[in-house]
Amino acid sequence: MTDAPRGPRPVDPLIALRPWEAPELTSWGRLPMNAVDRRSGALSLDGDWRFQLLPAPDAPVGGSWSSAQVPGAWTVQGTDDLPQYTNVRMPFPDFPPGSPDANPTGVYERAVDVPGEWAGRRIVLQVGAAESVLLVHVDGRPVGVSKDSHLAAEFDLSEVVRPGERSVLRLTVVKWSDASHIEDQDQWWHGGVTRSVLLYATDPLHLADVTVRAAHDGELRIDCRVRDARGALPDGWYVSGELEGRVLTQDSEFDRVNIEDDRVSDFLGEARIHTVVPDARTWNAETPELYDLTVRLHRQDGTVADSSHHRVGFRDVEIAGRDLLVNGERVFVRGVNRHDFHPLTGRTLSREDMRADLVLLKQFGFNAIRTSHYPNDPTLYDLADELGFYVVDEADIESHDHAHEIADDPRYLNAFVDRVSRMVLRDKNHPSIIIWSLGNESDYGANHDAAAGWLRRHDPTRPVQYEGAAKLDWAATDDASDIACPMYAPLEDCVAHALSGRQTRPLIQCEYSHAMGNSNGTLADHWAAIESTPGLQGGFIWEFWDHGILQRVNDGQPAGRAGAGLYDNGVAAPGHRWAYGGDFGETIHDGAFIADGVVFPDRTPKPSLYEHREIAAPVRIECYKHEGVVLGNHQHFRGLDWLTGTWELSLADGRTLTAPAELPGLRPGETAAVPLPFEVPRDGGEAWLTLRVTVAEDQPWAPAGTELCVPQVRLRGPEARQDTVVDRPVEVDDEGLLVHPLLASAPALSLWRAPTDNDELGGMALRWRTWGLDSLVRKVVSVRRDGGRVSVDAEYAGTVGVVRHRQVFTPVEGGVRVDEEAELPAEFDDVARVGSVFGTAPGLDLLDWFGQGPWESYPDRAFGAPVGHHSAPVDELFTPYLRPQESGGRHGVRHFTLSAPDATGLAVVLDEPRQVSVTRHRAEDLTAVTHHDELVPRSGCVVHIDAAHRGLGTASCGPDTFPEYRVPAGVHRWSWTLRVL
């Protein structure tokens, strides 16, 4: 840290230029993008910088400095400019290319001691990312300008710094600009320098770019571009390569090596190394084999002037008809959309953060990532290469609020081509990238065609996709997308297109199954159709993260880096909460729509991840027959030798048997019959066989023993329930309500649930409220006693209809059986649930159940919850979605107990598998608050037993649940028996 340079400053031509108002200007003084690796040996400039936040870019820099962490967004570092979330709307009213006068501008300064040994070398500054316009000065002298908030900008400082001396580097970051209109992504708006800043040096003779193309058959081509900072290239330079210790020269052990030096001018040289690697280990997402490659640039005397390291994967990507092929194989794309996000630092992530993201995704069956909606941090691609992911790399282009105008606006033509080309030039050598994307939700126009034309010419080895082009006609062949990549298309439309005979290209949804709150219903139905319908190949769930920012409740500020450790299992510590749109005082925002991921902000998995894990299972039980089961290998490239398993037999009477499993040696796509691991007992009732599949040996993304899937098959159905009626009275009060020592409130009819995000945004919650389902009024019609049996008829009145409800209480051995019937009028078609709700006395804190679990499940999201015996504390059953809503349900429950530490409590046996939830909250508790820190748990349990429960769907952004998962009008019947333990 040092004081600002003394003396008067010259008039700043960068400020006079006002680049934040010039859409035709994408850069000034910025070096071309390239794929040369410069991280090794670079001088890191990360850390504390002097900082001022100005109200506008042309405001004078004052005398008072604070400090800011680089990389990092100033919006989460204690400034008055706080995060703001919008989805479609721009956060200011100016039309493109305008920006507001009130325009937060961060000024960063720090002293840089340039190493003396860099004398005579070319010195380059790399700013990893800055949002949204970057202006660079050294010792008061202007150096350059860059736009594009998610790609690095490099500037040659050789003429403005002196090795062995100290210089003052200033980075001025302007938050709003013409570029903001094409960075209108569904995420938080931040400001600052959000990726690392480096200073590095090269020889004047240097590698300007390296392009590596490694084919599935072992063909390797390395194209190098060479420049000399001094001007003309010297005579005699050449390049060489080293692949895993083997030098690529004329006398190489390889079959064919050809080094060509075809200088195209005195200032730019091109060279190529071309060889074939025999028996090359190929790269794919299941077996991501990589080779270490070093490319060297030599002077005439053989000394090395420059070098670049790369990790090479031999693989091919092509489209054959309507199939996307990797190494000639049609692969299913099990993808997720992913932002660069962190709940403390906004957009700034460490390598450890990114690795944890990918490890979690890999463990839950994902094999693909779409970098929504901009190029991600470069480290992510290194990790995707290493761990094995197919990547759709997406350009930093989204003009959602003004999409139609900008798509054909020639003022933005340079920006479109610039952003697409720079992404490709940076990322082209990563084998994980199998598709380029032109951006997101920006309509379709000439600017897209221009960008696609450049891309297809520069890199014909990968397809390009763009939803905005393909949505006009999925069967078109002449637009800017090689893939039909719709968003949230109804499944029936996708299947119909694949069966129509008109399909011309792969159909892979770029977004589907919106994961907002308690969601991802019908995911298994989608994949059943995808796997059985040629032409459908998968898609990308929206999205990975809930973008909740950890916020201090007392002052409303982001917790920042000091918040590390103040959250666990998806829950913020006392005094903190997960902030979403509107929580920072924004008047323009889109609320909790930012909380739409399959993980909570701290990367805790939501229950929907277990659904996906089972859908993507590498090994499956195909069927049960002839006293054995048929196993199938559902991978594309890998055998089963890296997996192991354990058989588990669950019987309804409480017994669980286990045995080790020996998996057969199946190649991808093969099946084999295996005998049952043990004899199934003749007694015990319903029986389910589960194969718990785990990793046999450590993988880069999973230690040995990590569970990957739990395929299951039913071996025997349930036995008929037998209740012995006894002669004793059932205690029912004058209002027809059951009186029981363990019940704090009697069983009552429930047709309402605390609306999920899908219910609210899909319009169902409004309809239910209009019907009065959240405030039904009960009226007793009759209470009839017949010996010990009591029949109660009641009416529940809404605002537009009346529900007739009957309860029959019958004394049985050890308890009471409750037979219920509800008749819903025609007006009440498609309600949230039909069932019973009651409260228990305090102290019953442990739930044991036989049914689906152990994680939350619902009728249209139950594929990943195996039937078995499960147990959990009541306080752990509730799922803390960022906006409180219906959660904690378990599907297909046959019976359950609620017990105290002394093993006393109650037991419930159901007439058939039912939807059950046990939490500390009634629906009205959840709907009365907006955040979990406002919830007050009840001392007892709130128990729901549903005859029918509506599916979840994804209607917050996408299709609703299917008709078969909706709750119709008419008569519903259910029965359950309550006993004391």
PDB file of all heavy atoms in Angstrom, residues 73-103:
ATOM      1  N   ALA A  73     -16.354  -8.622  -4.812  1.00  0.00           N
ATOM      2  CA  ALA A  73     -17.313  -7.592  -5.180  1.00  0.00           C
ATOM      3  C   ALA A  73     -17.438  -6.592  -4.046  1.00  0.00           C
ATOM      4  O   ALA A  73     -17.518  -6.983  -2.873  1.00  0.00           O
ATOM      5  CB  ALA A  73     -18.674  -8.218  -5.488  1.00  0.00           C
ATOM      6  N   TRP A  74     -17.449  -5.298  -4.368  1.00  0.00           N
ATOM      7  CA  TRP A  74     -17.611  -4.309  -3.300  1.00  0.00           C
ATOM      8  C   TRP A  74     -19.007  -4.377  -2.681  1.00  0.00           C
ATOM      9  O   TRP A  74     -19.221  -3.929  -1.562  1.00  0.00           O
ATOM     10  CB  TRP A  74     -17.289  -2.910  -3.808  1.00  0.00           C
ATOM     11  CG  TRP A  74     -18.249  -2.286  -4.799  1.00  0.00           C
ATOM     12  CD1 TRP A  74     -19.567  -1.987  -4.612  1.00  0.00           C
ATOM     13  CD2 TRP A  74     -17.933  -1.859  -6.131  1.00  0.00           C
ATOM     14  NE1 TRP A  74     -20.107  -1.409  -5.730  1.00  0.00           N
ATOM     15  CE2 TRP A  74     -19.124  -1.294  -6.682  1.00  0.00           C
ATOM     16  CE3 TRP A  74     -16.779  -1.860  -6.902  1.00  0.00           C
ATOM     17  CZ2 TRP A  74     -19.182  -0.779  -7.978  1.00  0.00           C
ATOM     18  CZ3 TRP A  74     -16.837  -1.332  -8.188  1.00  0.00           C
ATOM     19  CH2 TRP A  74     -18.020  -0.812  -8.718  1.00  0.00           C
ATOM     20  N   THR A  75     -19.951  -4.964  -3.406  1.00  0.00           N
ATOM     21  CA  THR A  75     -21.328  -5.057  -2.920  1.00  0.00           C
ATOM     22  C   THR A  75     -21.471  -5.974  -1.714  1.00  0.00           C
ATOM     23  O   THR A  75     -22.512  -5.960  -1.055  1.00  0.00           O
ATOM     24  CB  THR A  75     -22.234  -5.549  -4.058  1.00  0.00           C
ATOM     25  OG1 THR A  75     -21.559  -6.584  -4.784  1.00  0.00           O
ATOM     26  CG2 THR A  75     -22.567  -4.421  -5.017  1.00  0.00           C
ATOM     27  N   VAL A  76     -20.469  -6.797  -1.421  1.00  0.00           N
ATOM     28  CA  VAL A  76     -20.516  -7.653  -0.226  1.00  0.00           C
ATOM     29  C   VAL A  76     -19.357  -7.339   0.715  1.00  0.00           C
ATOM     30  O   VAL A  76     -18.956  -8.178   1.516  1.00  0.00           O
ATOM     31  CB  VAL A  76     -20.515  -9.154  -0.607  1.00  0.00           C
ATOM     32  CG1 VAL A  76     -21.817  -9.538  -1.282  1.00  0.00           C
ATOM     33  CG2 VAL A  76     -19.321  -9.500  -1.494  1.00  0.00           C
ATOM     34  N   GLN A  77     -18.838  -6.114   0.609  1.00  0.00           N
ATOM     35  CA  GLN A  77     -17.701  -5.731   1.447  1.00  0.00           C
ATOM     36  C   GLN A  77     -17.974  -4.466   2.253  1.00  0.00           C
ATOM     37  O   GLN A  77     -17.080  -3.655   2.493  1.00  0.00           O
ATOM     38  CB  GLN A  77     -16.437  -5.556   0.601  1.00  0.00           C
ATOM     39  CG  GLN A  77     -15.971  -6.843  -0.062  1.00  0.00           C
ATOM     40  CD  GLN A  77     -14.572  -6.739  -0.630  1.00  0.00           C
ATOM     41  OE1 GLN A  77     -13.627  -6.364   0.059  1.00  0.00           O
ATOM     42  NE2 GLN A  77     -14.427  -7.076  -1.903  1.00  0.00           N
ATOM     43  N   GLY A  78     -19.230  -4.294   2.671  1.00  0.00           N
ATOM     44  CA  GLY A  78     -19.533  -3.232   3.611  1.00  0.00           C
ATOM     45  C   GLY A  78     -19.739  -1.863   3.020  1.00  0.00           C
ATOM     46  O   GLY A  78     -19.747  -0.869   3.761  1.00  0.00           O
ATOM     47  N   THR A  79     -19.933  -1.746   1.713  1.00  0.00           N
ATOM     48  CA  THR A  79     -20.189  -0.444   1.113  1.00  0.00           C
ATOM     49  C   THR A  79     -21.688  -0.145   1.152  1.00  0.00           C
ATOM     50  O   THR A  79     -22.512  -0.997   1.494  1.00  0.00           O
ATOM     51  CB  THR A  79     -19.705  -0.403  -0.345  1.00  0.00           C
ATOM     52  OG1 THR A  79     -20.561  -1.245  -1.145  1.00  0.00           O
ATOM     53  CG2 THR A  79     -18.270  -0.872  -0.462  1.00  0.00           C
ATOM     54  N   ASP A  80     -22.033   1.074   0.745  1.00  0.00           N
ATOM     55  CA  ASP A  80     -23.445   1.446   0.663  1.00  0.00           C
ATOM     56  C   ASP A  80     -24.114   0.889  -0.585  1.00  0.00           C
ATOM     57  O   ASP A  80     -25.346   0.932  -0.692  1.00  0.00           O
ATOM     58  CB  ASP A  80     -23.583   2.974   0.668  1.00  0.00           C
ATOM     59  CG  ASP A  80     -23.175   3.579   1.997  1.00  0.00           C
ATOM     60  OD1 ASP A  80     -23.277   2.876   3.021  1.00  0.00           O
ATOM     61  OD2 ASP A  80     -22.746   4.750   2.008  1.00  0.00           O
ATOM     62  N   ASP A  81     -23.334   0.414  -1.541  1.00  0.00           N
ATOM     63  CA  ASP A  81     -23.886  -0.167  -2.770  1.00  0.00           C
ATOM     64  C   ASP A  81     -24.040  -1.665  -2.546  1.00  0.00           C
ATOM     65  O   ASP A  81     -23.047  -2.410  -2.548  1.00  0.00           O
ATOM     66  CB  ASP A  81     -22.968   0.121  -3.955  1.00  0.00           C
ATOM     67  CG  ASP A  81     -23.565  -0.381  -5.263  1.00  0.00           C
ATOM     68  OD1 ASP A  81     -24.791  -0.294  -5.414  1.00  0.00           O
ATOM     69  OD2 ASP A  81     -22.791  -0.858  -6.113  1.00  0.00           O
ATOM     70  N   LEU A  82     -25.269  -2.111  -2.340  1.00  0.00           N
ATOM     71  CA  LEU A  82     -25.541  -3.485  -1.938  1.00  0.00           C
ATOM     72  C   LEU A  82     -25.996  -4.325  -3.126  1.00  0.00           C
ATOM     73  O   LEU A  82     -26.380  -3.796  -4.175  1.00  0.00           O
ATOM     74  CB  LEU A  82     -26.613  -3.494  -0.847  1.00  0.00           C
ATOM     75  CG  LEU A  82     -26.215  -2.798   0.461  1.00  0.00           C
ATOM     76  CD1 LEU A  82     -27.399  -2.706   1.405  1.00  0.00           C
ATOM     77  CD2 LEU A  82     -25.054  -3.520   1.129  1.00  0.00           C
ATOM     78  N   PRO A  83     -25.979  -5.647  -2.986  1.00  0.00           N
ATOM     79  CA  PRO A  83     -26.432  -6.506  -4.081  1.00  0.00           C
ATOM     80  C   PRO A  83     -27.894  -6.228  -4.435  1.00  0.00           C
ATOM     81  O   PRO A  83     -28.698  -5.846  -3.584  1.00  0.00           O
ATOM     82  CB  PRO A  83     -26.267  -7.923  -3.510  1.00  0.00           C
ATOM     83  CG  PRO A  83     -25.289  -7.785  -2.396  1.00  0.00           C
ATOM     84  CD  PRO A  83     -25.495  -6.427  -1.823  1.00  0.00           C
ATOM     85  N   GLN A  84     -28.214  -6.445  -5.686  1.00  0.00           N
ATOM     86  CA  GLN A  84     -29.585  -6.289  -6.175  1.00  0.00           C
ATOM     87  C   GLN A  84     -29.882  -7.443  -7.106  1.00  0.00           C
ATOM     88  O   GLN A  84     -29.071  -7.795  -7.962  1.00  0.00           O
ATOM     89  CB  GLN A  84     -29.754  -4.958  -6.902  1.00  0.00           C
ATOM     90  CG  GLN A  84     -31.163  -4.705  -7.419  1.00  0.00           C
ATOM     91  CD  GLN A  84     -31.327  -3.336  -8.048  1.00  0.00           C
ATOM     92  OE1 GLN A  84     -30.367  -2.575  -8.145  1.00  0.00           O
ATOM     93  NE2 GLN A  84     -32.530  -2.998  -8.471  1.00  0.00           N
ATOM     94  N   TYR A  85     -31.085  -8.035  -6.938  1.00  0.00           N
ATOM     95  CA  TYR A  85     -31.455  -9.164  -7.789  1.00  0.00           C
ATOM     96  C   TYR A  85     -32.623  -8.785  -8.692  1.00  0.00           C
ATOM     97  O   TYR A  85     -33.684  -8.358  -8.224  1.00  0.00           O
ATOM     98  CB  TYR A  85     -31.843 -10.387  -6.955  1.00  0.00           C
ATOM     99  CG  TYR A  85     -32.544 -11.427  -7.801  1.00  0.00           C
ATOM    100  CD1 TYR A  85     -31.890 -12.002  -8.888  1.00  0.00           C
ATOM    101  CD2 TYR A  85     -33.869 -11.793  -7.568  1.00  0.00           C
ATOM    102  CE1 TYR A  85     -32.528 -12.923  -9.704  1.00  0.00           C
ATOM    103  CE2 TYR A  85     -34.513 -12.712  -8.374  1.00  0.00           C
ATOM    104  CZ  TYR A  85     -33.847 -13.275  -9.440  1.00  0.00           C
ATOM    105  OH  TYR A  85     -34.477 -14.168 -10.260  1.00  0.00           O
ATOM    106  N   THR A  86     -32.404  -8.941  -9.990  1.00  0.00           N
ATOM    107  CA  THR A  86     -33.499  -8.901 -10.952  1.00  0.00           C
ATOM    108  C   THR A  86     -33.327 -10.069 -11.909  1.00  0.00           C
ATOM    109  O   THR A  86     -32.224 -10.528 -12.167  1.00  0.00           O
ATOM    110  CB  THR A  86     -33.533  -7.576 -11.753  1.00  0.00           C
ATOM    111  OG1 THR A  86     -32.345  -7.464 -12.537  1.00  0.00           O
ATOM    112  CG2 THR A  86     -33.675  -6.382 -10.831  1.00  0.00           C
ATOM    113  N   ASN A  87     -34.447 -10.523 -12.435  1.00  0.00           N
ATOM    114  CA  ASN A  87     -34.420 -11.631 -13.377  1.00  0.00           C
ATOM    115  C   ASN A  87     -34.436 -11.114 -14.815  1.00  0.00           C
ATOM    116  O   ASN A  87     -33.488 -11.303 -15.564  1.00  0.00           O
ATOM    117  CB  ASN A  87     -35.616 -12.550 -13.123  1.00  0.00           C
ATOM    118  CG  ASN A  87     -35.746 -13.649 -14.159  1.00  0.00           C
ATOM    119  OD1 ASN A  87     -34.766 -14.023 -14.789  1.00  0.00           O
ATOM    120  ND2 ASN A  87     -36.944 -14.144 -14.357  1.00  0.00           N
ATOM    121  N   VAL A  88     -35.510 -10.430 -15.191  1.00  0.00           N
ATOM    122  CA  VAL A  88     -35.642  -9.907 -16.547  1.00  0.00           C
ATOM    123  C   VAL A  88     -35.418  -8.403 -16.575  1.00  0.00           C
ATOM    124  O   VAL A  88     -34.670  -7.882 -17.408  1.00  0.00           O
ATOM    125  CB  VAL A  88     -37.037 -10.235 -17.128  1.00  0.00           C
ATOM    126  CG1 VAL A  88     -37.209  -9.627 -18.509  1.00  0.00           C
ATOM    127  CG2 VAL A  88     -37.244 -11.741 -17.177  1.00  0.00           C
ATOM    128  N   ARG A  89     -36.052  -7.698 -15.662  1.00  0.00           N
ATOM    129  CA  ARG A  89     -35.992  -6.236 -15.664  1.00  0.00           C
ATOM    130  C   ARG A  89     -34.580  -5.734 -15.402  1.00  0.00           C
ATOM    131  O   ARG A  89     -33.864  -6.262 -14.554  1.00  0.00           O
ATOM    132  CB  ARG A  89     -36.911  -5.671 -14.577  1.00  0.00           C
ATOM    133  CG  ARG A  89     -38.375  -5.988 -14.763  1.00  0.00           C
ATOM    134  CD  ARG A  89     -39.173  -5.497 -13.568  1.00  0.00           C
ATOM    135  NE  ARG A  89     -38.859  -6.263 -12.358  1.00  0.00           N
ATOM    136  CZ  ARG A  89     -39.373  -5.980 -11.151  1.00  0.00           C
ATOM    137  NH1 ARG A  89     -40.177  -4.936 -11.014  1.00  0.00           N
ATOM    138  NH2 ARG A  89     -39.074  -6.726 -10.111  1.00  0.00           N
ATOM    139  N   MET A  90     -34.217  -4.697 -16.129  1.00  0.00           N
ATOM    140  CA  MET A  90     -32.977  -4.002 -15.793  1.00  0.00           C
ATOM    141  C   MET A  90     -33.184  -3.230 -14.493  1.00  0.00           C
ATOM    142  O   MET A  90     -34.294  -2.778 -14.206  1.00  0.00           O
ATOM    143  CB  MET A  90     -32.578  -3.045 -16.912  1.00  0.00           C
ATOM    144  CG  MET A  90     -32.098  -3.731 -18.176  1.00  0.00           C
ATOM    145  SD  MET A  90     -30.568  -4.664 -17.941  1.00  0.00           S
ATOM    146  CE  MET A  90     -29.402  -3.339 -17.624  1.00  0.00           C
ATOM    147  N   PRO A  91     -32.151  -3.058 -13.699  1.00  0.00           N
ATOM    148  CA  PRO A  91     -32.309  -2.365 -12.424  1.00  0.00           C
ATOM    149  C   PRO A  91     -32.353  -0.844 -12.557  1.00  0.00           C
ATOM    150  O   PRO A  91     -32.404  -0.144 -11.548  1.00  0.00           O
ATOM    151  CB  PRO A  91     -31.078  -2.813 -11.638  1.00  0.00           C
ATOM    152  CG  PRO A  91     -30.072  -3.146 -12.670  1.00  0.00           C
ATOM    153  CD  PRO A  91     -30.828  -3.663 -13.854  1.00  0.00           C
ATOM    154  N   PHE A  92     -32.322  -0.339 -13.788  1.00  0.00           N
ATOM    155  CA  PHE A  92     -32.453   1.101 -14.025  1.00  0.00           C
ATOM    156  C   PHE A  92     -33.308   1.283 -15.277  1.00  0.00           C
ATOM    157  O   PHE A  92     -33.404   0.387 -16.127  1.00  0.00           O
ATOM    158  CB  PHE A  92     -31.089   1.779 -14.166  1.00  0.00           C
ATOM    159  CG  PHE A  92     -30.160   1.143 -15.166  1.00  0.00           C
ATOM    160  CD1 PHE A  92     -30.276   1.416 -16.527  1.00  0.00           C
ATOM    161  CD2 PHE A  92     -29.160   0.277 -14.745  1.00  0.00           C
ATOM    162  CE1 PHE A  92     -29.414   0.837 -17.448  1.00  0.00           C
ATOM    163  CE2 PHE A  92     -28.296  -0.310 -15.661  1.00  0.00           C
ATOM    164  CZ  PHE A  92     -28.424  -0.025 -17.011  1.00  0.00           C
ATOM    165  N   PRO A  93     -33.954   2.453 -15.431  1.00  0.00           N
ATOM    166  CA  PRO A  93     -34.933   2.614 -16.510  1.00  0.00           C
ATOM    167  C   PRO A  93     -34.351   2.987 -17.858  1.00  0.00           C
ATOM    168  O   PRO A  93     -35.080   2.975 -18.862  1.00  0.00           O
ATOM    169  CB  PRO A  93     -35.821   3.745 -15.986  1.00  0.00           C
ATOM    170  CG  PRO A  93     -34.904   4.564 -15.134  1.00  0.00           C
ATOM    171  CD  PRO A  93     -33.962   3.581 -14.487  1.00  0.00           C
ATOM    172  N   ASP A  94     -33.061   3.313 -17.947  1.00  0.00           N
ATOM    173  CA  ASP A  94     -32.481   3.790 -19.206  1.00  0.00           C
ATOM    174  C   ASP A  94     -32.546   2.710 -20.292  1.00  0.00           C
ATOM    175  O   ASP A  94     -32.246   1.536 -20.044  1.00  0.00           O
ATOM    176  CB  ASP A  94     -31.028   4.197 -18.982  1.00  0.00           C
ATOM    177  CG  ASP A  94     -30.893   5.255 -17.910  1.00  0.00           C
ATOM    178  OD1 ASP A  94     -31.097   4.917 -16.712  1.00  0.00           O
ATOM    179  OD2 ASP A  94     -30.596   6.402 -18.242  1.00  0.00           O
ATOM    180  N   PHE A  95     -32.892   3.134 -21.497  1.00  0.00           N
ATOM    181  CA  PHE A  95     -32.924   2.217 -22.628  1.00  0.00           C
ATOM    182  C   PHE A  95     -31.510   2.054 -23.186  1.00  0.00           C
ATOM    183  O   PHE A  95     -30.673   2.943 -23.067  1.00  0.00           O
ATOM    184  CB  PHE A  95     -33.869   2.733 -23.715  1.00  0.00           C
ATOM    185  CG  PHE A  95     -35.310   2.500 -23.400  1.00  0.00           C
ATOM    186  CD1 PHE A  95     -36.010   3.379 -22.589  1.00  0.00           C
ATOM    187  CD2 PHE A  95     -35.968   1.375 -23.883  1.00  0.00           C
ATOM    188  CE1 PHE A  95     -37.340   3.161 -22.285  1.00  0.00           C
ATOM    189  CE2 PHE A  95     -37.298   1.143 -23.583  1.00  0.00           C
ATOM    190  CZ  PHE A  95     -37.998   2.037 -22.778  1.00  0.00           C
ATOM    191  N   PRO A  96     -31.236   0.911 -23.815  1.00  0.00           N
ATOM    192  CA  PRO A  96     -29.896   0.701 -24.363  1.00  0.00           C
ATOM    193  C   PRO A  96     -29.601   1.733 -25.446  1.00  0.00           C
ATOM    194  O   PRO A  96     -30.494   2.087 -26.213  1.00  0.00           O
ATOM    195  CB  PRO A  96     -29.976  -0.720 -24.934  1.00  0.00           C
ATOM    196  CG  PRO A  96     -31.421  -1.065 -25.039  1.00  0.00           C
ATOM    197  CD  PRO A  96     -32.134  -0.231 -24.020  1.00  0.00           C
ATOM    198  N   PRO A  97     -28.375   2.254 -25.460  1.00  0.00           N
ATOM    199  CA  PRO A  97     -27.225   1.840 -24.646  1.00  0.00           C
ATOM    200  C   PRO A  97     -27.024   2.690 -23.403  1.00  0.00           C
ATOM    201  O   PRO A  97     -25.926   2.705 -22.844  1.00  0.00           O
ATOM    202  CB  PRO A  97     -26.058   2.056 -25.619  1.00  0.00           C
ATOM    203  CG  PRO A  97     -26.484   3.266 -26.413  1.00  0.00           C
ATOM    204  CD  PRO A  97     -27.975   3.150 -26.561  1.00  0.00           C
ATOM    205  N   GLY A  98     -28.064   3.386 -22.950  1.00  0.00           N
ATOM    206  CA  GLY A  98     -27.902   4.322 -21.858  1.00  0.00           C
ATOM    207  C   GLY A  98     -27.626   3.662 -20.523  1.00  0.00           C
ATOM    208  O   GLY A  98     -27.941   2.492 -20.298  1.00  0.00           O
ATOM    209  N   SER A  99     -27.050   4.443 -19.613  1.00  0.00           N
ATOM    210  CA  SER A  99     -26.801   3.999 -18.248  1.00  0.00           C
ATOM    211  C   SER A  99     -27.174   5.147 -17.311  1.00  0.00           C
ATOM    212  O   SER A  99     -27.207   6.313 -17.730  1.00  0.00           O
ATOM    213  CB  SER A  99     -25.337   3.593 -18.048  1.00  0.00           C
ATOM    214  OG  SER A  99     -24.470   4.662 -18.378  1.00  0.00           O
ATOM    215  N   PRO A 100     -27.449   4.870 -16.058  1.00  0.00           N
ATOM    216  CA  PRO A 100     -27.926   5.925 -15.170  1.00  0.00           C
ATOM    217  C   PRO A 100     -26.819   6.877 -14.751  1.00  0.00           C
ATOM    218  O   PRO A 100     -25.638   6.520 -14.721  1.00  0.00           O
ATOM    219  CB  PRO A 100     -28.467   5.139 -13.974  1.00  0.00           C
ATOM    220  CG  PRO A 100     -27.693   3.874 -13.984  1.00  0.00           C
ATOM    221  CD  PRO A 100     -27.439   3.546 -15.420  1.00  0.00           C
ATOM    222  N   ASP A 101     -27.223   8.099 -14.404  1.00  0.00           N
ATOM    223  CA  ASP A 101     -26.247   9.066 -13.908  1.00  0.00           C
ATOM    224  C   ASP A 101     -25.679   8.625 -12.568  1.00  0.00           C
ATOM    225  O   ASP A 101     -24.484   8.804 -12.304  1.00  0.00           O
ATOM    226  CB  ASP A 101     -26.896  10.450 -13.776  1.00  0.00           C
ATOM    227  CG  ASP A 101     -27.283  11.041 -15.127  1.00  0.00           C
ATOM    228  OD1 ASP A 101     -26.627  10.681 -16.123  1.00  0.00           O
ATOM    229  OD2 ASP A 101     -28.236  11.828 -15.173  1.00  0.00           O
ATOM    230  N   ALA A 102     -26.537   8.071 -11.712  1.00  0.00           N
ATOM    231  CA  ALA A 102     -26.070   7.516 -10.444  1.00  0.00           C
ATOM    232  C   ALA A 102     -25.471   6.146 -10.740  1.00  0.00           C
ATOM    233  O   ALA A 102     -26.189   5.159 -10.890  1.00  0.00           O
ATOM    234  CB  ALA A 102     -27.225   7.403  -9.450  1.00  0.00           C
ATOM    235  N   ASN A 103     -24.164   6.114 -10.850  1.00  0.00           N
ATOM    236  CA  ASN A 103     -23.484   4.932 -11.392  1.00  0.00           C
ATOM    237  C   ASN A 103     -22.290   4.598 -10.511  1.00  0.00           C
ATOM    238  O   ASN A 103     -21.194   5.150 -10.676  1.00  0.00           O
ATOM    239  CB  ASN A 103     -23.023   5.231 -12.825  1.00  0.00           C
ATOM    240  CG  ASN A 103     -22.579   3.992 -13.565  1.00  0.00           C
ATOM    241  OD1 ASN A 103     -22.421   2.929 -12.977  1.00  0.00           O
ATOM    242  ND2 ASN A 103     -22.350   4.128 -14.866  1.00  0.00           N
TER     243      ASN A 103
END
